[in-house]
Amino acid sequence: MTSPLTLFCSFYPVLAVTFVSLVHSETFCRLQNHFEPAFMAQGDFLLGGIFPLHYNQEMPDLNSTYRPPPVNFDPRAFRWALTMILTVDEINQNKELLPNHTLGYKIFDSCAYPLTGQRAALAVLNGVTEEGHGVCSGASPLLAIIGESGSAQSIVVSRILRPFRIPMISYFSSCACFTDRQKYPTFFRVIPNDDYQVKALAQLLVHFNWTWVGLIRGDHEYGRFAVQGLLRELQGTKVCVGDKYFQSFKNSIDALCIYLCHIILSGLVIRTSQAKVVVVFSAEGEMTPFLRDYMEQNITGIQWVASEAWVTASVFSGSVYYPYLGGTIGFGIKTGYIPGLGDFIQRVTPYVYPSNPLMQELWEALYGCAPVSPSDSDLPLCSGDETLLEKHAAYMNTSSPRVAYNVYKAVYAVAHSLHNLFLCQPGAGPFENNSCAQSTNIHPWQLQQYLQEVQFTINGEEVNFDLKGDSIPYYDIINWQRGASGNIEFVPVGLFDGTKAAGQELVIKEDRIVWAGHQMSVCSDSCAPGSRKAVRRGELVCCFDCVPCDSGKISNETDSIECRECPEDFWSNSDRTACIPKEVEFLAYDTVGIVLTVISVVGACLTIAVLVIFFYHRNTPIIRMNNSELSFFILLSLTLCFLCCLVFIGEPTAWSCMLRHTVFSITFSLCISCILGKTLVVLAAFTATRPGNNLMKWLGPKQQRAIIFISTLVQVVICVAWLIDAPPHPFRNMEYERSKIILECSNGSSLAFWCVLGYIGLQAGLCFLLAFLARNLPGNFNEAKVITFSILIFCAVWLAFIPAYISSPGNYADAVESFAILASSFGLLLCLFVPKCYIILLKPEKNTKQHLIGKDKK
Ligand code: TRP
């Protein structure tokens, strides 16, 4: 491929300055180089056109060891150029628009690169030959330029045109950078500003909940500004941009490696279940090598989000791309109808334009054969019935032109402005002193004035430019789906209308979308209910760990940021997803409760049995001698002692709480009082033997009963005072264990509680003291000994009880107290009565008065 035009795409360093130079010795202008336009037609007014008819896949080598890089012919851009020609023809034939004037055009190839674009701009400005009306012969006949495609090229072109104040209308440069009117005063465009596209993209990402996306951009203004804009739009949304890579022309392989290496490194996330969403701001030319390498790696399942630059790139519509690119989604610019475009394109063949080398290239690209011989390529000669190559089939498909439609609108915009300029009424013009432009000598800046204000409709669509030269924001959402023949079809699945109110701009028909694979793209999986997100320090908010909620806290939705504390009476379930009422614990009839009940009932029964035995044998000496009435009292009160243990078991209620300590303390007081009475009697009985010291007459049965009654009454008074002043009541203790409510009896007044216990202690102490004094009195059956012993046991039990009681919580304290009651009752029962029962039942021979007072002859 060394046709003159492809050579045009390779630039030599010397060509960087392509000025017309006046050589001293010569009196005529000489062009530095010949710039053949791709297409040209004369007319009253000339329009320049710049299209990327070729593209480089590698960056041209700028050092002196120059080797022209391979260039590719771009049928898509060729169609845009043809559209310009068609439109100019259409306008020239239109009797209403510019009736007495014709338009001409000069179309140049920018080779899709800023440097070559710069040369195209200079070529447009210059004349074609030295003899023509070039720069040398007066004012530039050029009124406006339709171009360029890529923003990077448009920037260069616009800078070159600026000093000449020639307006340019771009059909594809969407970079947000052009809004700077200071820098690009003559720039207009018929494509929406990328600010709208990134806004739409951000909404799309949020809509599909793609919170972890990769970004790839080409190394140019378009990519830079778009990425910047997208990041700005994503701020404050839940979407994070994971990887940002730019893929520069030259080192696309490196960029790919960084990207792929990353994919492989962060492997688990991306390679396994979660497909990754990658947004690409790039054009098809520079994407081709990148895609080739990507396909070699055989990675699939990535959801590509395409920018408008490549979302309808027919180069990728071949079936080989489907496994890698199928499902791609992105925003495409508005389509429109261009009358006669299909026919016109069909008519343009190398046989009709044999002298145009581009035609030859078109044929080579479309059909893979050379239309005329001799050809520079090694391709075979065309036979005439070749079929379209799959990848170029879309060239012929003119059903929904997008960029071509922009070209159509751009040319019409110039024509309408020019038309308006001619309609100017002298004295009502826009220029100095309300003057109009001279129709014979129109300056491009005068046309600019009209362009700024032009307003017209094409096929019902209104075209105009705002103050910044921008046009109306509207996009179609395009989805890449498999066509009938296995190729990729660009199917519209929704739209973005920037003129609608915020929130209503995006319309997506989700049922029409065909996806690449899975649509999950997240850095971390969402946190299940029962856990909360914990953002990793120094990482993006989309990457987090899930921490289970603490006990007592719950989260009932996915992705909770916090775990909620349960209300007071509630606690978290084991999954930490719901609050459930706290377990209420008390000394119930479970194992401990039942054991206690059984013991107390057994104890009570034993006591009653002893009572029955005693009653039955009440006339035997052992009972008669030992004050039988007091023994019966003791046994009765012991039975009550055993039974009062039952009030401690079961759910505490107002009544059971009040009964607990009062019943217990009164029965115990009664019991100890009886024992005390007995001790006193024993002591008195023995002192009675001494002369003049007859205490016995002071201790008759009446007095004994009085003593018992009074000493029990004291306890009763304390209890009544307690119940009146601060009665014990049920209490839900939540402090001891946070996950449970312990239902216990609060003492109401601990002073009263300790008084009650203290009083029993006092009685027991007194009893012990007296019994201790009487322990050595003679007699085989001296009761003082057993009383001492039993009170000792009683005291031991209750002394041990105090620390155990204080340190155990609610229900356990009750159990401890019950055990103490039972243990001390058993102590008393066993010590006081078992020896007597033994003698009564098993040794009746010892049940004699003699034996008992120790005067037994044996
Ligand atoms: N809208 C893009 C731009 O403004 C379209 C484009 C055309 C492009 N040619 C390109 C983007 C080449 C990147 C590279 O630039």
Side-chain angles (χ1 to χ4, degrees):
M1 278 202 218
T2 45
S3 72
L5 273 156
T6 50
L7 265 181
F8 182 85
C9 287
S10 349
F11 51 89
Y12 299 86
V14 287
L15 285 185
V17 183
T18 51
F19 264 104
V20 179
S21 73
L22 255 159
V23 182
H24 288 306
S25 56
E26 294 167 293
T27 50
F28 57 90
C29 310
R30 201 169 65 92
L31 286 168
Q32 278 278 33
N33 197 258
H34 286 280
F35 306 112
E36 301 286 339
F39 294 98
M40 183 164 159
Q42 293 297 345
D44 302 343
F45 301 101
L46 265 191
L47 296 187
I50 304 180
F51 295 91
L53 301 177
H54 294 85
Y55 60 90
N56 284 291
Q57 288 187 351
E58 281 162 46
M59 181 155 123
D61 188 351
L62 285 179
N63 62 28
S64 311
T65 59
Y66 178 74
R67 174 182 60 83
V71 287
N72 294 32
F73 178 77
D74 188 352
R76 188 184 182 205
F78 189 79
R79 192 174 63 187
W80 304 339
L82 292 186
T83 308
M84 177 165 171
I85 297 172
L86 170 81
T87 319
V88 169
D89 286 352
E90 194 178 290
I91 292 167
N92 284 342
Q93 275 156 30
N94 190 328
K95 298 262 156 22
E96 275 149 37
L97 193 59
L98 295 174
N100 303 321
H101 303 277
T102 54
L103 291 179
Y105 51 80
K106 276 199 285 187
I107 294 175
F108 284 86
D109 182 5
S110 72
C111 303
Y113 192 67
L115 231 49
T116 41
Q118 177 175 357
R119 201 182 40 195
L122 290 170
V124 172
L125 290 178
N126 285 333
V128 178
T129 58
E130 285 89 356
E131 302 83 47
H133 326 269
V135 184
C136 306
S137 61
S140 160
L142 195 72
L143 274 189
I145 284 177
I146 308 297
E148 215 294 82
S149 156
S151 297
Q153 292 91 279
S154 285
I155 288 173
V156 176
V157 172
S158 153
R159 287 207 182 116
I160 290 174
L161 297 183
R162 196 176 155 182
F164 306 103
R165 299 211 274 169
I166 298 176
M168 65 185 280
I169 307 178
S170 172
Y171 46 87
F172 208 9
S173 296
S174 53
C175 178
C177 48
F178 287 111
T179 45
D180 188 344
R181 220 60 187 131
Q182 297 280 334
K183 271 191 185 161
Y184 310 104
T186 63
F187 180 86
F188 295 88
R189 58 181 158 196
V190 279
I191 183 171
N193 179 342
D194 273 342
D195 276 344
Y196 294 103
Q197 183 179 192
V198 293
K199 199 167 149 194
L201 274 173
Q203 290 187 14
L204 186 87
L205 296 178
V206 171
H207 176 90
F208 288 117
N209 221 352
W210 290 330
T211 57
W212 186 241
V213 296
L215 266 184
I216 298 183
R217 65 167 174 85
D219 187 17
H220 38 59
E221 278 78 3
Y222 166 70
R224 214 164 18 248
F225 275 83
V227 164
Q228 221 174 60
L230 184 61
L231 293 179
R232 186 187 59 231
E233 290 295 331
L234 289 178
Q235 254 169 28
T237 68
K238 53 190 173 175
V239 181
C240 298
V241 175
D243 325 294
K244 279 167 263 178
Y245 294 114
F246 74 82
Q247 151 221 355
S248 86
F249 221 5
K250 188 171 71 192
N251 52 17
S252 79
I253 310 270
D254 303 352
L256 178 79
C257 177
I258 297 170
Y259 179 66
L260 290 181
C261 296
H262 188 84
I263 289 181
I264 288 155
L265 284 182
S266 55
L268 285 181
V269 186
I270 302 150
R271 250 191 315 156
T272 55
S273 62
Q274 287 126 321
K276 185 134 166 79
V277 171
V278 183
V279 185
V280 185
F281 291 102
S282 175
E284 69 260 43
E286 52 189 14
M287 267 192 81
T288 312
F290 168 78
L291 267 182
R292 192 186 53 223
D293 294 341
Y294 167 75
M295 281 157 67
E296 266 166 28
Q297 302 275 338
N298 219 0
I299 303 172
T300 53
I302 284 193
Q303 172 65 49
W304 298 101
V305 178
S307 69
E308 104 295 341
W310 64 283
V311 76
T312 50
S314 46
V315 200
F316 299 137
S317 64
S319 52
V320 281
Y321 290 102
Y322 189 81
Y324 305 96
L325 295 180
T328 296
I329 198 165
F331 291 94
I333 50 181
K334 200 174 160 69
T335 68
Y337 171 67
I338 307 175
L341 180 65
D343 288 348
F344 184 69
I345 282 178
Q346 298 277 324
R347 270 187 274 125
V348 177
T349 67
Y351 309 107
V352 181
Y353 299 90
S355 60
N356 193 329
L358 276 171
M359 285 299 156
Q360 216 161 307
E361 280 190 66
L362 174 70
W363 236 237
E364 289 173 7
L366 292 183
Y367 301 106
C369 62
V372 284
S373 64
S375 118
D376 300 318
S377 60
D378 312 325
L379 296 172
L381 203 65
C382 292
S383 65
D385 44 33
E386 280 78 20
T387 46
L388 267 179
L389 290 181
E390 188 189 32
K391 62 177 178 177
H392 294 119
Y395 167 76
M396 294 293 190
N397 182 0
T398 51
S399 61
S400 57
R402 291 173 193 275
V403 183
Y405 185 60
N406 278 352
V407 174
Y408 186 68
K409 282 195 284 193
V411 177
Y412 262 100
V414 177
H416 278 282
S417 310
L418 200 57
H419 186 84
N420 292 346
L421 184 145
F422 289 131
L423 291 181
C424 177
Q425 298 293 326
F431 306 112
E432 213 175 313
N433 302 328
N434 295 338
S435 63
C436 291
Q438 257 183 303
S439 57
T440 47
N441 189 17
I442 298 168
H443 290 278
W445 59 267
Q446 292 172 319
L447 182 71
Q448 154 129 9
Q449 175 70 32
Y450 284 93
L451 264 177
Q452 187 73 64
E453 268 145 33
V454 77
Q455 196 159 5
F456 59 98
T457 46
I458 295 184
N459 304 327
E461 187 198 336
E462 190 152 324
V463 182
N464 58 10
F465 303 102
D466 67 12
L467 283 176
K468 291 171 178 168
D470 278 342
S471 64
I472 303 158
Y474 178 95
Y475 297 96
D476 285 326
I477 303 176
I478 306 287
N479 180 220
W480 290 22
Q481 304 184 0
R482 191 192 280 278
S485 53
N487 62 324
I488 295 179
E489 270 176 15
F490 308 127
V491 182
V493 292
L495 56 90
F496 178 89
D497 189 345
T499 56
K500 289 266 168 68
Q504 289 168 6
E505 300 124 312
L506 198 65
V507 179
I508 304 178
K509 296 179 189 126
E510 268 179 73
D511 49 318
R512 292 216 207 147
I513 304 178
V514 173
W515 295 111
H518 351 247
Q519 289 83 57
M520 281 286 288
S521 191
V522 291
C523 176
S524 306
D525 278 331
S526 57
C527 292
S531 59
R532 66 171 175 86
K533 290 185 186 179
V535 175
R536 296 183 201 139
R537 193 180 281 236
E539 285 189 35
L540 293 163
V541 282
C542 298
C543 303
F544 45 79
D545 296 314
C546 295
V547 218
C549 292
D550 292 337
S551 58
K553 291 186 175 178
I554 60 148
S555 70
N556 51 5
E557 52 208 308
T558 31
D559 278 343
S560 314
I561 302 166
E562 282 184 323
C563 294
R564 257 189 308 119
E565 197 129 2
C566 284
E568 206 183 26
D569 285 0
F570 291 80
W571 199 249
S572 51
N573 60 358
S574 58
D575 293 342
R576 309 269 191 272
T577 50
C579 286
I580 47 171
K582 281 185 184 171
E583 226 179 288
V584 179
E585 258 190 22
F586 50 84
L587 185 56
Y589 288 99
D590 53 12
T591 334
V592 182
I594 290 172
V595 169
L596 287 174
T597 316
V598 170
I599 297 176
S600 72
V601 171
V602 168
C605 292
L606 275 179
T607 320
I608 291 167
V610 173
L611 191 69
V612 171
I613 294 170
F614 269 45
F615 187 74
Y616 194 71
H617 298 278
R618 63 185 179 282
N619 292 325
T620 57
I622 196 165
I623 295 176
R624 285 189 40 214
M625 275 179 66
N626 280 309
N627 204 331
S628 59
E629 194 193 42
L630 282 180
S631 296
F632 287 126
F633 268 132
I634 295 177
L635 282 169
L636 276 175
S637 60
L638 262 185
T639 315
L640 286 179
C641 283
F642 275 117
L643 292 179
C644 81
C645 173
L646 296 178
V647 214
F648 285 83
I649 305 164
E651 186 179 338
T653 60
W655 278 106
S656 76
C657 279
M658 285 201 279
L659 279 181
R660 276 184 187 182
H661 291 117
T662 47
V663 170
F664 145 76
S665 58
I666 293 171
T667 50
F668 266 73
S669 267
L670 176 67
C671 188
I672 305 282
S673 302
C674 297
I675 298 173
L676 186 67
K678 211 167 200 194
T679 322
L680 281 176
V681 172
V682 173
L683 212 57
F686 281 95
T687 51
T689 51
R690 289 176 210 161
N693 200 356
N694 193 354
L695 270 175
M696 240 355 233
K697 65 171 181 260
W698 298 104
L699 266 177
K702 270 191 194 149
Q703 285 86 348
Q704 287 172 20
R705 277 181 224 140
I707 289 174
I708 294 171
F709 181 74
I710 290 168
S711 70
T712 312
L713 188 66
V714 175
Q715 187 71 298
V716 174
V717 170
I718 300 177
C719 286
V720 170
W722 185 6
L723 289 184
I724 291 172
D725 188 46
H729 52 87
F731 170 67
R732 298 160 81 86
N733 187 345
M734 303 194 198
E735 254 127 70
Y736 189 75
E737 220 175 311
R738 292 198 305 138
S739 63
K740 288 177 188 164
I741 297 177
I742 293 175
L743 195 55
E744 58 182 28
C745 284
S746 156
N747 281 337
S749 150
S750 25
L751 175 71
F753 175 72
W754 291 113
C755 276
V756 158
L757 281 191
Y759 184 68
I760 296 176
L762 184 74
Q763 283 181 309
L766 190 63
C767 194
F768 178 70
L769 191 71
L770 295 178
F772 186 76
L773 292 177
R775 79 190 185 287
N776 283 332
L777 294 177
N780 257 352
F781 199 84
N782 179 5
E783 270 210 306
K785 263 186 203 149
V786 272
I787 291 174
T788 319
F789 192 62
S790 62
I791 296 292
L792 210 55
I793 291 182
F794 182 87
C795 291
V797 168
W798 285 100
L799 285 180
F801 155 79
I802 292 171
Y805 180 82
I806 291 175
S807 59
S808 336
N811 49 343
Y812 296 105
D814 290 340
V816 166
E817 195 167 352
S818 309
F819 269 112
I821 292 171
L822 293 175
S824 55
S825 307
F826 268 111
L828 295 179
L829 178 69
L830 297 181
C831 294
L832 291 178
F833 298 100
V834 167
K836 285 181 192 164
C837 288
Y838 174 73
I839 291 176
I840 294 169
L841 298 176
L842 302 175
K843 293 277 192 280
E845 71 276 8
K846 288 191 178 170
N847 196 352
T848 62
K849 205 171 175 183
Q850 285 77 3
H851 178 80
L852 290 173
I853 56 173
K855 291 191 177 151
D856 196 346
K857 287 282 153 22
K858 225 196 255 172

